[in-house]
Structures are given as C-alpha cells and as structure tokens.
Amino acid sequence: MVTLEFIGCGDAFASGGRFQTCFLVRGAGGPFLIDCGASAPVALQRRGVDVSDIGLVIVSHLHGDHAGGLPFLLLDAAYNRPRTEPLVLAGPPGIEARVLDTLEALYPGTREAVSARVPVRFVELESRHEMTFGSVLVTAVDVEHSPKTPCLGIRVELDRKVIAYSGDTQWTPALIELSRGADLFVCECTGFDEPLYSHLSYAELSAHASELEAVRMVLTHLGPGMLAHAAEARWPCADDGLVIEV
C-alpha cells in the first residue's frame, strides 16, 4: 500500500496557520519526502515522524517554503540523531551549493561538521530524465514558476502507483504530461479567481480541467483567497495531517 501524508500544505506565508510544503510518502521501499519547507522539521516531529528513517528527499525547487528545512535535517543528523544509512537529497541543479551555503549562513562552521558526520548525497534532477532511487522511479518536468531558479514538477512511481506533484507553477501544458495516468495528482492552487503571476488560481485550473483527463486531484499550497473559498472547490483541498491511500 502506498500512502501520501500532508505533513505541510501551506504556502510561503503559512496562510491559515498551515505548515509549509512537505509530503511524506510511504511504500514498500521505506518512507521518503517530497519537498521540505522551512517549518517541516517541526511538523514532522508533531506527526511523530523519525527523520532518521527518511532516506530520500525529492525537492521541486529551492525556495525556502519548499527546501528551507533541509539544512535542519542535516544539522539534526550531525548533532542530534546520527544516521547510519545515507540521506539522498535530489532536486534542481544547484541543490548542493544552496543547501550547504544556507546551512553555513545559519550556523557558521557546520558545513565541515555535516560533511564529516552525515552520510549525505546530493543528486541533481534533469527535466524528463528518469532516475531510480531504490524502489522509487522519479521523473522531473520543468514548470513555470520563477525565472531566478529552476522549478520542477515531480512524478514518482513506486509499488505500481504513480503520484504526480505540480510543484509551484502557473498554468503550463507540462502539467498535462506530468499528471497523465497518475493515481494521484497533488496540484498547487494558491489563488481563487484573482490573476496570479507564477502560481495557479482555482479559476485557471478549472478552465483547463478537461485537459487533465479527470485525474484524481488534491489541491495544496492554498493562499488566503483560495482558503476563503475552499468549501466551494470541485476538488478536495488538503489539510495538514491528511493521509491519502493512493
């Protein structure tokens, strides 16, 4: 059985008091994370998740609400809960430098300690290039969110199930490709009917619904406008702690 747990489903501003983006996927090959926002380490502990059991984190892009928790995972492994198994951090080009530079900026001198104490491996994902991590097949697809940093939609396959995740993006035909044939599509929906740059609104997503081939979809990354209208949505909206069997 494959499950996806919304450790955090908030936007960059934690609208509605939600933790920032972090999804826990469990399957036969062991648990892994998709995204790890700055508030994710707190949320993981509240959900009773032992982060030393996490062997893989897949990152959609390197904004703080999606990757800001990674330095703290490394810090925890260096000083608090030593790891015996390697931790793989897979994400867009530049992930190693960004994570380690952030760690060093927050806690000067810790880069060396992490390198010496934590068995960590950084992997750069390339768009439309399949990569296998144990029993998990990962495919990344370029999406349209920020011209300043590479942004990816993520598609994972494990135990004959497929989970697709939009990452942060405005509407792009890549979402059709990303979600095609998926058992679950977790899609960002920051706004309701207001025009947005770099994010999706419910109105825009509804306008393209027929192109998504009736895929099972759950909305995440809800901003204030969408939160105010969540009860009206045709698709379910995630809450922190929601667990979905895929």
Side-chain angles (χ1 to χ4, degrees), residues 13 25 36 67-68 94 98 121 171 188-189 207 215 236 242:
F13 311 103
V25 181
C36 186
R98 184 77 65 85
R121 179 166 66 96
W171 174 258
E188 81 116 286
C189 188
V215 66
L242 174 66

Side-chain angles (χ1 to χ4, degrees), residues 218-235:
V218 176
L219 306 182
T220 189
H221 205 276
L222 279 59
M226 186 58 209
L227 283 171
H229 294 275
E232 305 168 29
R234 62 191 287 184
W235 301 285

Side-chain angles (χ1 to χ4, degrees), residues 192 201-212 217 234-235:
F192 182 62
S201 70
Y202 180 76
E204 189 170 30
L205 194 57
S206 296
H208 291 279
S210 62
E211 300 172 65
L212 297 174
M217 185 156 60
R234 62 191 287 184
W235 301 285

Side-chain angles (χ1 to χ4, degrees), residues 11-208:
D11 61 1
F13 311 103
S15 296
R18 297 172 175 217
F19 288 109
Q20 292 171 342
T21 301
C22 182
F23 313 139
L24 173 66
V25 181
R26 297 184 187 271
F32 64 92
L33 299 179
I34 300 175
D35 278 353
C36 186
S39 59
V42 177
L44 286 161
Q45 291 205 51
R46 288 198 178 180
R47 297 298 298 171
V49 178
D50 186 346
V51 294
S52 61
D53 292 335
I54 303 296
L56 170 66
V57 184
I58 304 164
V59 180
S60 65
H61 64 295
L62 297 172
H63 284 166
D65 57 318
H66 293 260
L70 296 179
F72 293 95
L73 291 190
L74 296 178
L75 198 69
D76 183 83
Y79 293 103
N80 188 34
R81 285 174 284 192
R83 301 183 62 91
T84 56
E85 298 297 323
L87 174 63
V88 177
L89 303 181
I95 183 171
E96 180 173 5
R98 184 77 65 85
V99 171
L100 294 181
D101 287 350
T102 302
L103 176 67
E104 185 67 17
L106 294 171
Y107 298 95
T110 52
R111 184 195 296 259
E112 291 80 4
V114 163
S115 298
R117 301 181 186 185
V118 182
V120 60
R121 179 166 66 96
F122 292 91
V123 177
E124 295 189 349
L125 300 175
E126 300 178 25
S127 184
R128 293 178 171 81
H129 178 72
E130 293 183 349
M131 298 195 73
T132 301
F133 302 93
S135 60
V136 182
L137 177 66
V138 178
T139 307
V141 176
D142 286 330
V143 293
E144 298 180 15
H145 177 52
S146 169
K148 301 295 185 180
T149 188
C151 299
L152 303 171
I154 302 295
R155 184 179 172 99
V156 298
E157 183 175 350
L158 67 157
D159 301 347
R160 298 183 180 180
K161 299 291 184 179
V162 175
I163 298 170
Y165 165 49
S166 67
D168 281 5
T169 184
Q170 59 192 21
W171 174 258
T172 166
L175 296 178
I176 302 171
E177 173 189 353
L178 183 73
S179 64
R180 184 175 292 121
D183 297 283
L184 177 67
F185 180 33
V186 180
C187 187
E188 81 116 286
C189 188
T190 302
F192 182 62
D193 58 2
E194 63 270 35
L196 295 173
Y197 168 74
S198 79
H199 285 286
L200 279 166
S201 70
Y202 180 76
E204 189 170 30
L205 194 57
S206 296
H208 291 279

